[in-house]
Amino acid sequence: MIDIHCHLLPGIDDGARHLDVSLEMARIAAAEGVTTIACTPHIQPGVFDNEAAGIREAVQDLQEAIDEAGIAVTLVVGSDAHIRPDFVSAIRAGEIATLNDTKFVLFEPPHHIAPQRMDDLLFDILAAGYVPIVTHPERLTWISSHYELFVRLSRSGVWMQITAGSLTGSFGRGPKMWAERMLIDGVVHVIATDAHGAKRRPPLMHDAIRSAERLVGPQETRNLVSIRPRAILLNSDEFTPPKAPCETSQPPKAKRGAFWPMQDILNRTAR
Ligand SMILES: [Fe+2]
C-alpha cells in the first residue's frame, strides 16, 4: 500500500513532534502493509511556512534515519497545501511541493467555512496542468450543505481523498457517514491516513480497508489504497476511475441539535 497523505516529518507542523515519533509512525505504517509514504506537511502561509526545498531536505534526513532503524518504508516528497488564491504560482515558485514531484498535489480546503468560488480555483489548477486532490472532504463541517459540489468536482477531474480513520469512526459519526456515502457514490479516488502521530491519529489502514471492502468490494478498495496512489507517484494517467457510482441520493437534512446531518511501488525515489 501507498499512503499519499501523512504528517510524518518531525517538528515542522502539527504532525510528528520528534524523530522518535516519526520512526514509531513508520513502524506502525509498515506493520499495516504500507511500503511508501508521501511526507505531506502542512503549507499554510503565516501558520505553517514550509516550502518544497525544506521538505525535500527533511525527507532525505528522515529516510536515512528510517533506513538505519531497519524499517522497510520508502519516503517521497509532498505537502498538504492549504487553499490560497496563488496556488498555481506557489507550485511553480517551488513553494508548494507536489506529490513525488508529479502533477498531483494535495489541496486542503478550510475546515469550517465554505470558500467562495473554490471550484473556479480548482479548475484553474487543472487548467495549469496539475491534478488537485481535495483532502478529507468528509471531515469538512460544511460538506452537508455542499455535497453536490464535491460530486461535480470529482466528475470533472478533481480527485478526492478521504481519511482512513473517518471510515472507522475516529472522527465521529458525521465524517464516517460522509466517507461511506462518498465511497458508495463513486466520488472517492484515494484513501490515506492523514496521520499526525503514533498515539494520536496513528497511520492505521487495516480496519478502514475492511470497511471499504464491505462498501465497494475488494477490487475497488485496492484501487483506493494501492493502484491509484501508485499512478499518482508515477505521474501516470492510467488509472481506473472511481467505481461506477450509484444514483446519487439526496443529501440528508440536518436535524436541529444533531451532530451534523446524519453525517512498492517505486524504486527509491526520495530526493
Ligand atoms: Fe493533512
Side-chain angles (χ1 to χ4, degrees), residues 146-167:
H146 293 75
Y147 183 68
E148 294 306 322
L149 168 66
F150 293 98
V151 174
R152 181 165 56 86
L153 288 169
S154 176
R155 306 269 191 265
S156 307
V158 174
W159 284 39
M160 297 289 154
Q161 173 255 307
I162 62 169
T163 318
S166 294
L167 287 170

Side-chain angles (χ1 to χ4, degrees), residues 4-110:
I4 64 154
H5 186 170
C6 185
H7 296 260
L8 187 68
L9 297 176
I12 66 171
D13 66 359
D14 58 345
R17 288 192 179 186
H18 311 287
L19 178 59
D20 288 351
V21 176
S22 302
L23 293 177
E24 187 55 29
M25 289 172 72
R27 281 191 198 95
I28 293 168
E32 292 283 303
V34 171
T35 56
T36 305
I37 299 173
C39 299
T40 55
H42 292 289
I43 294 182
Q44 185 175 1
V47 182
F48 298 110
D49 287 312
N50 294 303
E51 58 178 39
I55 294 169
R56 201 175 305 285
E57 225 171 276
V59 166
Q60 280 181 340
D61 291 346
L62 181 56
Q63 182 74 67
E64 284 175 21
I66 281 175
D67 291 348
E68 274 174 30
I71 305 166
V73 162
T74 301
L75 307 182
V76 298
V77 168
S79 64
D80 186 4
H82 198 263
I83 186 171
R84 54 199 278 183
D86 61 341
F87 203 94
V88 169
S89 51
I91 298 174
R92 290 177 172 154
E95 293 173 36
I96 290 176
T98 63
L99 292 168
N100 199 30
D101 297 319
T102 66
K103 64 184 176 184
F104 295 92
V105 60
L106 295 185
F107 176 101
E108 183 186 40

